[in-house]
Structures are given as C-alpha cells and as structure tokens.
Amino acid sequence: MEVVLEQNSPTLASLKVTLTKDDYQPKIDKTIKDYSKKVNLKGFRPGKVPSHVIQRMYGKSILVDEVNNLLSTAVSSYIRENKLQVVGDPVPNREKAAEVNWDSPSELEFIYDLGVATDFEINFSELPAVKRYTINVDDTELSKTIENLRERFAENIHPEVSEEGDMIFGELKQESSEFTTRTAIPTKQVKADALAKFIGVKKGDEVVFDIQNTFADEAAIAHVTGKKKEDVATLSGDYTLVVEDVTRSAASELNQDLFDKVLGPGQVENEEQFNEKLLEIIKGNYERETEALLRRDIENALLDSIAIELPGDFLKDWLERTNEGKFTREQIEEQFEDFKKSLKLSLIKNKVADKESVKVEYPEILEFTRNMVKGQFGIYGDDDNMKETIDRVAQGYLADKERDNYTQVFNQVFDNKVMEIIRSQVSTDEQTIEVSEFEKLAKGEEVAA
C-alpha cells in the first residue's frame, strides 16, 4: 500500500492511495472462508459451501467492502500520524473511483480531496492583555437578592378582603347564557379601569363585570372562562363572580425556615450567617459570570492574533453536502463567518490540548453534571439530603444516548480544561466595576471609561 500527499494550495490537498493485490486479497480470502462456514445454500451441507461458489456469488461485494475498509483505515491513519490539520471530511474523487475495474482488479488507485487549515503557532506572550473584571457586590445587591428569595419562596395566605395582586376564587356565571364554572381571577390580569371592582371584596360578595372590557387580553379571558382562545371573541355581556376565597402571595419571613429552604437544612443558624453565606454565593456567581466574559474576550483575542487560513469553498460544499435538506446554500453563506470562527477556535484549542496532553476522566464529567443539576434545582449549598437524588439525576442524564448528553458534557469539560491552561498563560488587566456596568458589558454595550 502506498499513500502519497500532494499539496495543491495552502488550504487544499489530495491524498492518493494505491492498493496492490497483496494488500486486499488476504482479507478477501479470509472473508470468503468465513462465508463458506456460515452461508446456507441449497445443495450444500451447512458450513461446506466451496470457496469458488462464494467467490462467484459474493466476490465482487466482498472486494468492494474490504477495499473500502482498507481505504478508510489508510486515510485516517495517514492524517493522524502526519498530524494534518484536516477540516471537514476527506472527499473521494468520483472520477478516479469510476475508473476502477472491480471485475478484474489488480492495482487499485484512489484519490481523496482534503481541505486543510494552514499551520500556525500559538505565542501567548504576544497576546495583548485582556481585561478581567471584579464586580463590586455591595449591600444593595445583597438586599435585592434576599427580596427575590423571599418572593421565590413566598407562601399563600387567605386574607378576608382582597387587594391588588390577589387571586380571587369563586363561581363565575352568566344567567342569560346559562354559563357557569368555577374559576380563579388574577387581579394582575385585570385592566386598570376595571380593577376597582375586584379590590376590597370578600367571601360571599358578587362582582359583576363585562367579559370583554375587563381583562388585559384574550388569553386572560380564556383562562377565566375555561374557553378556548379562538372562542373568546364569541363571548359578550356581563358576567357575575360569586367570591368564595381570596389568595395572596406573601413574601417568606426572614427566618430559619427560609434559611433551610435556600441553603439546605442546618447550614446556617441566624440571619447574620445567612447574609454572609449569601454574599459569598452572590460573589461566586458573579465571578463565574466575569470568567465567562473573560473567556469570550480571550477567545476573541486568540482569533484576532492568530492567522489561520481555511478552504472556504471546500467547507461550504462540504457543509451543503453533509447537511443536505437541512440548510440551503444561502443559509450556509449567511452563517459561514460564525462557523469559521468556531472552527478556528477548535483548531487552536486542540493544538493547546495536544501540547499539554489534556485528558478528561469520568469522575470529572460526573462532577460537572452534578453541579449542573444542583444549579437547575436551585441548590446553593451542600445539601446531604439531596446528594443521592442529585447523583441519580446526573447519572441518568449522562446515560441518555438519544440526546448524546455524555459527549456534550465531555466536550464542555474538555473545553474548560483547555481554557484553564490558556487562561493561566494570558496576561490580564484587572479592573473593578459596578454590577450595572458589568450587565452592559455582558450585552456587548460600551461602558464609560
């Protein structure tokens, strides 16, 4: 077997693979022998079908399969061993393949077209300093977070008299149409000029209102009446609500019960400890956000500083071919610049990973998934009571092959490890900013110097 690379341009190459009979015939003979033992043909004892019969019946398809296997291995091995920066997939030259005589094979020659990225070096010392922000978290931010948590863990109470924002339960009816249903009216969905009717009502009161002129939109009318949204327009006239109950969402008290709900049972014992722990969590959350912004800016600095040429037309053709029916050529053209940036970043990160021998182990993947699940559950502290549940959910998530979650998490952990290496070698310009300034930066807005 002979594999020869021909560089046609800085970003295009071709790989010629030449196979002799000595390369493929032994594999064909072995496959035919295996067939002879397994194939059941009328007139022959099981496992005793002569090789020449197998050759006559299946020889050509066996030849094609074995040659394709050899070619696949040869091409991938050459690319890997010679560390070619191939982008996209190798594309078989159809004209050359059509010349192959499968009926009388001897020496077989195939050509694969390759798209390659130009070689590049990574010199972190030449990168400009990237701004790294520390967010000033003050008492105002702590108070805002506490109020949000009190609302999040709010409890329902049942006051005697309704106020704005309450939910009013009761029987809704319209005598003229013999309509009746039990419902709940959220006063938040009532128009301002009709709100007075629903304020100050109590159990047993009757509220009469026009169905079309009372609520904010058709969705609210549908919710109150139980009708389909498309049928709301047919409703008209006055409806009567006989009040049975008033429910109000009351912010949770700042007590041990709230502390345990937020941080886990027994994590803190008083308001001072709660505030300290919460402030620590807030700072940690903002630190992760600033790190995410730093990552974005480092990636942009890498893209701006490292020149890599890519085979544009080759990649567009490859994307169109591999995504046939999913994306049009026009869509590929529109999104191609973003694709190029992503591809260049992958090439840079892979070179760093190769140099630093980056590896990802299962315990790292599981721990990453655990933290992700904890974030989804809104668990701030280390809740031992939830540990078993979190582990079960995390393992189940990774086991979902249909969504290929394991690969996605693997790639994320790999990317994080590579970025940690890059982060340790890139110089930063440390700056402290306010929360409002950071929010603008995260949205890509300019901040006054």
Side-chain angles (χ1 to χ4, degrees), residues 53 57 88 122 148 180 211 239 303:
V53 175
M57 296 181 67
I122 304 173
N148 289 338
T180 181
I211 194 67
Y239 281 65
L303 289 170

Side-chain angles (χ1 to χ4, degrees), residues 226-418:
K227 298 287 187 180
K228 294 181 179 178
K229 191 175 179 180
E230 54 267 28
D231 297 332
V232 164
T234 64
L235 305 178
S236 63
D238 286 344
Y239 281 65
T240 301
L241 177 72
V242 181
V243 179
E244 297 176 355
D245 187 32
V246 177
T247 300
R248 181 177 301 158
S249 180
S252 177
E253 294 294 328
L254 202 58
N255 54 25
Q256 189 65 46
D257 184 51
L258 177 64
F259 304 157
D260 290 346
K261 286 178 180 177
V262 174
L263 300 175
Q267 294 295 312
V268 297
E269 297 178 352
N270 52 53
E271 186 176 342
E272 183 180 356
Q273 291 178 0
F274 179 69
N275 289 348
E276 288 176 0
K277 186 72 173 177
L278 208 55
L279 194 59
E280 180 184 325
I281 292 168
I282 295 169
K283 289 180 178 179
N285 289 340
Y286 275 124
E287 186 174 343
R288 282 190 290 274
E289 291 189 37
T290 56
E291 283 298 315
L293 180 60
L294 177 63
R295 173 189 289 232
R296 185 191 73 183
D297 292 344
I298 287 175
E299 289 179 343
N300 288 335
L302 291 169
L303 289 170
D304 291 340
S305 303
I306 300 174
I308 306 174
E309 288 185 50
L310 297 173
D313 291 337
F314 177 93
L315 285 171
K316 290 174 186 176
D317 292 340
W318 172 71
L319 288 168
E320 186 174 13
R321 187 168 52 251
T322 54
N323 293 284
E324 188 176 1
K326 297 179 182 178
F327 299 102
T328 64
R329 185 71 177 207
E330 289 74 18
Q331 290 172 319
I332 291 171
E333 293 281 358
E334 288 173 4
Q335 301 174 30
F336 191 66
E337 283 305 312
D338 289 337
F339 172 79
K340 277 174 53 178
K341 288 181 180 179
S342 177
L343 183 54
K344 286 180 179 180
L345 275 174
S346 293
L347 291 168
I348 293 168
K349 290 177 182 178
N350 286 338
K351 177 165 277 196
V352 173
D354 185 56
K355 181 181 178 181
E356 302 292 337
S357 301
V358 174
K359 293 181 180 179
V360 175
E361 305 292 344
Y362 180 76
E364 298 172 294
I365 294 172
L366 182 58
E367 182 61 23
F368 180 92
T369 311
R370 282 196 192 105
N371 290 331
M372 184 175 68
V373 172
K374 286 172 66 176
Q376 291 172 345
F377 280 148
I379 298 173
Y380 290 93
D382 296 321
D383 189 342
D384 291 335
N385 296 327
M386 288 291 291
K387 187 177 186 304
E388 185 178 339
T389 301
I390 290 169
D391 282 355
R392 185 171 64 252
V393 173
Q395 290 166 1
Y397 180 84
L398 292 173
D400 189 340
K401 294 182 179 179
E402 184 177 344
R403 293 181 176 83
D404 201 15
N405 292 335
Y406 184 91
T407 300
Q408 293 181 42
V409 176
F410 176 95
N411 291 338
Q412 185 63 62
V413 175
F414 173 84
D415 192 67
N416 288 346
K417 294 185 79 169
V418 174

Side-chain angles (χ1 to χ4, degrees), residues 168-219:
I168 304 176
F169 292 84
E171 182 184 30
L172 182 66
K173 56 187 178 180
Q174 186 185 43
E175 293 181 6
S176 61
S177 63
E178 298 184 350
F179 170 85
T180 181
T181 186
R182 306 192 77 76
T183 190
I185 295 181
T187 56
K188 291 179 180 179
Q189 293 295 320
V190 176
K191 291 180 179 178
D193 57 1
L195 188 59
K197 292 184 178 182
F198 297 89
I199 304 301
V201 301
K202 59 185 181 298
K203 184 177 180 180
D205 286 352
E206 293 187 1
V207 182
V208 180
F209 57 91
D210 185 284
I211 194 67
Q212 291 293 342
N213 297 325
T214 298
F215 299 101
D217 51 37
E218 289 183 345

